[in-house]
Each structure stands twice: as structure tokens, then as C-alpha cells.
């Protein structure tokens, strides 16, 4: 821990890692490794290094920048994410991730900007902001202390808490009922994920039939967390749908990379030249993470720059 703290306070180390992150001539996989390294280091210097990359042409990378800032849960990033959310020149997937990240950080001050977009014509953006507002209100309310909520085994900061219900049949009904608020359906989704069973995975995969792009994208995300081979067929079918929204296809590709079986890697290799940049880049990064076999070891830019410095 002391070594990490020294690196966190070292301008040289942070700037070297930041230079890898911002260098468009570097392979995208190395830039992702640099990003995850900065996320693990944390602190204002790491956040500033990440923030300086939102002008990049890769929507996938910028989306991941916002995700990491949210997971770091540092109020210092709120103004950065607010600016990204409000920037109409940014891709929808990037603005969505910035809104979700504001919800993850959970500052009451973010509600004002989130409310500006909760009824936006871009439905993915509107739903993201609705979820973020609800999560922040839950976080600062008495409900967050309820003890009968299932535990998240993945240590991720989710856009909604799990539902109180633990009945599989009832949760499936909540998940698939499109007349319910998106927040209610997300809560059912995370309760199902936390069950970590084959049955719950199969129910979650039914969520790909939803008419909501954001919802389908989140289904892919949680299936990637679960890493249950029972979901491979469903994830592959979505990637194969060339008329599916790239936001969903890219998340399914990343989920297959998390699963990392030989079947998954062979499949992903076929989409390295996909017409959608975000899909082919997702396959590239997913294959790289899959080959590393360890998410913590994947964030290895710190060891590389310190090795060079030595």
C-alpha cells in the first residue's frame, strides 16, 4: 500500500502512465491498461490524467474513461463528468456513461444537471439520467440501510441497488415488464445477477428481447460479470445481429471476452474487422483481457513505467 501511495503522489509516474493513455499511436490495448492502472491508483492526479483524454476519437475509450471515473467514486470528478454529459459533440454512449458515473459517485449536487436530461429525446440518455437521479436519492435516503438486499459479489458500483424481492419468478416478471419504470427493472436485474445461478442467467438473457437499447446493454454487462458459460449462445447471437445497436453489440463482445473460453475468443476474432468501430475495438480489448486472464494483472502500466525508470 505504501508503494501505491508513493506512486499516487509521484508526478513522474502519473505523467508517464497518462502519456501512454493519451498516445493515439499506442495500441488501444496498451491505452486501456494505462487507464485501468490510473483507476487503481486513484487520486486527483490520476483523475486529471483521465480527464485529459476525452477529446480522443475512440468512443469506446472515452466511454471507459467515464466508467472508471464513476467507479473511483471521487467527488473531484463530478465537474469533469458534468461537462462530458452536457457536451452534445460527444457520442451518446460517452454521455450516457458520464451520466451513469455521476450516479455512481452519488453527489446530491449532480441531480440538477441530471434533471436537465431526464426527459431527453435520446431515450438512452434520458433513462440513464433517470436511473442516476433515483440512485442518488436512494443513496441519501433511509432505504439504503435495508439489510434484506442481496450482496453484490462483484464490488462494482451499480446504477441501481438490487430489489428486495428474492423470488425468481417475481423477479423475471419485473425484469421483462416494460410498463414498469426502468429503475424497478434494473433493481430486478441486479437481484438476479447476485443470485449467480444458471436459472438466473437464463432469465437475464431473456432481457435481450427488450425494446430498450440501454436495458439490453446492461443485460450484457451483468452477464459479463457473471461469466457463466450458459449465456455464451445468447451473447453470440446478439453480436451476430448486424442491425442491433452497436452499444449493445459492443457490450456483448466485452462479456464474451470476460468469459474467455476458446469458443469465445475464436468468435471474437471474427469481428475484429466489424464495420462498427466500437464493436471491433471492443473485440480487440476483450481478447487482450481474455489472454491476460487476470483483471488486476491487466492494469500493469505502473510496473512497466517503473521498470523503464529503473
Amino acid at each position: 500500500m505504501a508503494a501505491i501511495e508513493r506512486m499516487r503522489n509521484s508526478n513522474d509516474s502519473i505523467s508517464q502512465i497518462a502519456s501512454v493513455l493519451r498516445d493515439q499511436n499506442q495500441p488501444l490495448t496498451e491505452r486501456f491498461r494505462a487507464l485501468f492502472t490510473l483507476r487503481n491508483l486513484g487520486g486527483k492526479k490520476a483523475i486529471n490524467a483521465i480527464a485529459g483524454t476525452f477529446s480522443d476519437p475512440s468512443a469506446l475509450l472515452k466511454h471507459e474513461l467515464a466508467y472508471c471515473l464513476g467507479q473511483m467514486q471521487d467527488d473531484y470528478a463530478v465537474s469533469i463528468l458534468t461537462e462530458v454529459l452536457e457536451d452534445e459533440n460527444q457520442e451518446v454512449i460517452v454521455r450516457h456513461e458520464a451520466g451513469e458515473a455521476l450516479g455512481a459517485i452519488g453527489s446530491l449536487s449532480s441531480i440538477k444537471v441530471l434533471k436537465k436530461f431526464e426527459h431527453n429525446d435520446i431515450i438512452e440518455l434520458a433513462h440513464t439520467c433517470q436511473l442516476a437521479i433515483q440512485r442518488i436519492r436512494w443513496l441519501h435516503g433511509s432505504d439504503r440501510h435495508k439489510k434484506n438486499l442481496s450482496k453484490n459479489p462483484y464490488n462494482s458500483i451499480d446504477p441501481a441497488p438490487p430489489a428486495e424481492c428474492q423470488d425468481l419468478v417475481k423477479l423475471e416478471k419485473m425484469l421483462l415488464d416494460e410498463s414498469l419504470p426502468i429503475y424497478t427493472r434494473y433493481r430486478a436485474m441486479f437481484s438476479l445477477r447476485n443470485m449467480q445461478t444458471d436459472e438466473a442467467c437464463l432469465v437475464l438473457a431473456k432481457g435481450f428481447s427488450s425494446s430498450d437499447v440501454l436495458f439490453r446493454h446492461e443485460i450484457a454487462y451483468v452477464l459479463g460479470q457473471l461469466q457463466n458459460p450458459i449465456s455464451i449462445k445468447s451473447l453470440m447471437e446478439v453480436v451476430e445481429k448486424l442491425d442491433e445497436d452497436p452499444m449493445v453489440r459492443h457490450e456483448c463482445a466485452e462479456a464474451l471476452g470476460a468469459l474467455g473460453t476458446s469458443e469465445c475468443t475464436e468468435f471474437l476474432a471474427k469481428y475484429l474487422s466489424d464495420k462498427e468501430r466500437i464493436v471491433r475495438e471492443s473485440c480487440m480489448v476483450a481478447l487482450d483481457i481474455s489472454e491476460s486472464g487476470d483483471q488486476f494483472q491487466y492494469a500493469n502500466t505502473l510496473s512497466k513505467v517503473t521498470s523503464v525508470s529503473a
Side-chain angles (χ1 to χ4, degrees):
M1 286 298 292
I4 292 292
E5 192 61 36
R6 283 197 300 274
M7 292 300 174
R8 183 180 291 158
N9 293 318
S10 166
N11 282 325
D12 285 346
S13 295
I14 295 289
S15 62
Q16 286 179 68
I17 299 167
S19 69
V20 175
L21 174 62
R22 295 174 187 171
D23 186 353
Q24 294 180 31
N25 293 317
Q26 287 276 351
L28 188 63
T29 51
E30 288 301 321
R31 300 177 74 194
F32 264 69
R33 288 173 185 265
L35 171 59
F36 296 152
T37 302
L38 290 168
R39 180 191 66 183
N40 291 346
L41 285 172
K44 290 183 179 180
K45 292 170 186 173
I47 290 171
N48 285 334
I50 292 170
T53 318
F54 276 108
S55 58
D56 198 87
S58 171
L60 179 69
L61 179 63
K62 290 184 292 185
H63 141 280
E64 203 70 22
L65 299 176
Y67 173 77
C68 287
L69 289 176
Q71 295 297 300
M72 289 162 81
Q73 289 201 293
D74 190 324
D75 282 346
Y76 183 71
V78 167
S79 61
I80 298 161
L81 291 163
T82 297
E83 186 176 331
V84 175
L85 173 61
E86 293 184 306
D87 186 354
E88 294 183 0
N89 292 316
Q90 290 285 8
E91 296 86 347
V92 171
I93 193 171
V94 180
R95 296 176 69 198
H96 137 74
E97 203 64 52
E100 189 169 289
L102 288 171
I105 294 171
S107 171
L108 283 168
S109 66
S110 297
I111 289 181
K112 183 177 179 180
V113 69
L114 290 165
K115 286 188 76 66
K116 284 173 59 177
F117 299 99
E118 66 175 332
H119 301 298
N120 195 273
D121 290 340
I122 304 170
I123 194 67
E124 296 89 344
L125 203 56
H127 280 174
T128 296
C129 293
Q130 289 166 24
L131 286 162
I133 291 167
Q134 292 270 33
R135 183 185 186 277
I136 293 170
R137 286 175 174 163
W138 169 80
L139 195 62
H140 292 273
S142 58
D143 281 1
R144 70 168 299 196
H145 300 295
K146 288 187 175 176
K147 296 179 180 179
N148 54 339
L149 300 182
S150 58
K151 213 166 190 179
N152 174 4
Y154 302 101
N155 297 318
S156 55
I157 311 303
D158 300 322
E164 293 178 63
C165 174
Q166 297 299 309
D167 182 276
L168 186 71
V169 175
K170 290 179 180 177
L171 286 171
E172 178 177 357
K173 187 175 180 181
M174 289 166 63
L175 182 82
L176 303 177
D177 186 350
E178 299 205 333
S179 69
L180 292 175
I182 188 76
Y183 184 71
T184 302
R185 299 176 68 204
Y186 262 54
R187 294 195 68 173
M189 187 190 305
F190 290 112
S191 282
L192 287 162
R193 179 203 61 189
N194 293 352
M195 288 180 174
Q196 296 184 290
T197 63
D198 286 356
E199 292 78 13
C201 277
L202 292 171
V203 169
L204 284 165
K206 292 181 182 180
F208 284 129
S209 65
S210 172
S211 62
D212 190 310
V213 170
L214 186 70
F215 187 83
R216 297 198 301 274
H217 136 281
E218 198 69 18
I219 288 287
Y221 173 77
V222 298
L223 290 176
Q225 287 185 308
L226 283 162
Q227 297 181 22
N228 188 327
I230 203 167
S231 66
I232 289 175
K233 183 174 181 290
S234 297
L235 289 164
M236 287 183 173
E237 286 175 352
V238 176
V239 176
E240 288 172 334
K241 290 180 181 176
L242 301 184
D243 59 344
E244 173 60 279
D245 193 288
M247 186 177 186
V248 183
R249 293 181 68 222
H250 111 82
E251 202 68 59
C252 286
E254 291 193 358
L256 289 167
L259 278 148
T261 67
S262 57
E263 179 187 13
C264 291
T265 56
E266 287 173 19
F267 177 85
L268 290 169
K270 295 190 295 184
Y271 290 88
L272 287 170
S273 57
D274 194 86
K275 67 174 184 175
E276 296 289 349
R277 175 174 179 170
I278 197 167
V279 174
R280 60 179 182 265
E281 288 185 346
S282 293
C283 290
M284 186 190 311
V285 173
L287 286 167
D288 192 45
I289 292 175
S290 178
E291 286 170 15
S292 77
D294 187 313
Q295 183 78 20
F296 184 76
Q297 283 186 311
Y298 187 75
N300 63 357
T301 309
L302 180 59
S303 61
K304 290 182 181 180
V305 300
T306 52
S307 173
V308 169
S309 299

